[in-house]
Amino acid sequence: MILTAIVNYNAGEALAETLNSIYRNMEKADNVLVSVVDNDSIDMSKVLLLNNKDLLEKIVFNPINVGKARAANELIRDLVFSPYIRIHDEDLIFSLDSDLRLESPDFFNTIKKVWKDIGTSVSCLVCAQVGNSLMKRDLKFNKTSSGYTYFIPEEGYGHNVAAGAVIVPYKYWQKVGGYSERGLYGGDDGPLLRNLFKVTKKPICVVKDLT
């Protein structure tokens, strides 16, 4: 199963494009659940989410903006403890920024294939997008024998690493406790990647051309 968690704040039309791209991919894949938490948006986001309630597993409307980290952690915690969902250690948590479209025509099945190929040797997958600061920085990228790109996050980068589309097995998500909630805004993915490497001693795989 892939548990997709989206934190939204005033993404509006971009959120609509993101959801539409997810729905197109869900038609080709089984066991994909999508949930959204809204951090007190003041644009069209709330109406948009209500109009999509039949297609979403869960929608949460926060009365204040609590930041991405706390919102994502609470949403995933709610889903894990839901009596209607049975999550296993090997299931995947997919944290996706609300303004990123899935450009791949078969995103979820591709992710499942990639994880089947290399899931035992990496801590998570990062789906890099054009213009992403992750791809602009010299993070000592290396090619694995199977052709995938991976890197080891360093202390010097920390909060400057932006991913936006991170896929983590539930067993590792549990070990690191999800996102670090130190500080309200920004830099949430960087510490998550760094913590995953510290705990698992496994690098991060960068899957290109999917978002």
Side-chain angles (χ1 to χ4, degrees):
M1 179 168 62
I2 299 180
L3 208 61
T4 304
I6 300 172
V7 178
N8 178 69
Y9 178 66
N10 288 342
E13 293 182 5
L15 172 62
E17 294 179 5
T18 296
L19 291 177
N20 286 333
S21 72
I22 290 173
Y23 299 152
R24 287 194 296 271
N25 275 273
M26 287 176 67
E27 293 176 354
K28 304 176 183 179
D30 296 325
N31 295 323
V32 176
L33 302 180
V34 182
S35 298
V36 181
V37 54
D38 184 82
N39 264 335
D40 195 30
S41 294
I42 57 174
D43 65 354
M44 60 179 281
S45 295
K46 292 180 180 179
V47 173
L48 172 67
L49 289 172
L50 288 173
N51 288 338
N52 283 264
K53 64 181 180 180
D54 292 338
L55 298 171
L56 297 170
E57 181 68 23
K58 187 179 183 67
I59 305 173
V60 177
F61 294 106
N62 283 336
I64 59 172
N65 188 341
V66 299
K68 174 182 175 179
R70 178 178 164 187
N73 287 344
E74 290 179 349
L75 175 61
I76 292 168
R77 193 178 302 124
D78 287 349
L79 292 170
V80 167
F81 288 104
S82 168
Y84 307 106
I85 300 174
R86 181 174 295 179
I87 189 166
H88 302 92
D89 283 349
E90 298 302 322
D91 289 334
L92 300 176
I93 304 293
F94 178 28
S95 174
L96 178 67
D97 282 0
S98 60
D99 59 349
L100 292 183
R101 297 189 305 275
L102 307 184
E103 298 290 356
S104 168
D106 198 8
F107 178 88
F108 293 112
N109 284 328
T110 301
I111 288 300
K112 290 177 181 179
K113 179 183 180 302
V114 171
W115 191 258
K116 183 178 180 180
D117 287 346
I118 62 172
T120 57
S121 59
V122 299
S123 60
C124 71
L125 306 179
V126 173
C127 302
Q129 61 268 17
V130 175
N132 191 327
S133 63
L134 178 65
M135 301 305 295
K136 291 181 179 179
R137 296 179 177 277
D138 179 15
L139 291 177
K140 298 183 179 179
F141 286 90
N142 295 284
K143 288 286 186 179
T144 68
S145 58
S146 57
Y148 294 103
T149 303
Y150 71 95
F151 75 96
I152 295 173
E154 298 179 351
E155 291 289 342
Y157 295 98
H159 293 263
N160 293 320
V161 176
V166 179
I167 299 162
V168 185
Y170 177 61
K171 61 182 178 182
Y172 293 159
W173 181 272
Q174 280 186 300
K175 284 186 176 181
V176 301
Y179 283 109
S180 169
E181 295 184 19
R182 296 176 59 185
L184 273 181
Y185 306 104
D188 302 309
D189 287 336
L192 174 63
L193 302 184
R194 203 169 65 216
N195 288 340
L196 284 165
F197 174 70
K198 284 182 177 180
V199 169
T200 66
K201 306 303 180 187
K202 296 180 180 181
I204 285 83
C205 176
V206 182
V207 186
K208 298 182 181 180
D209 303 325
L210 288 180
T211 56

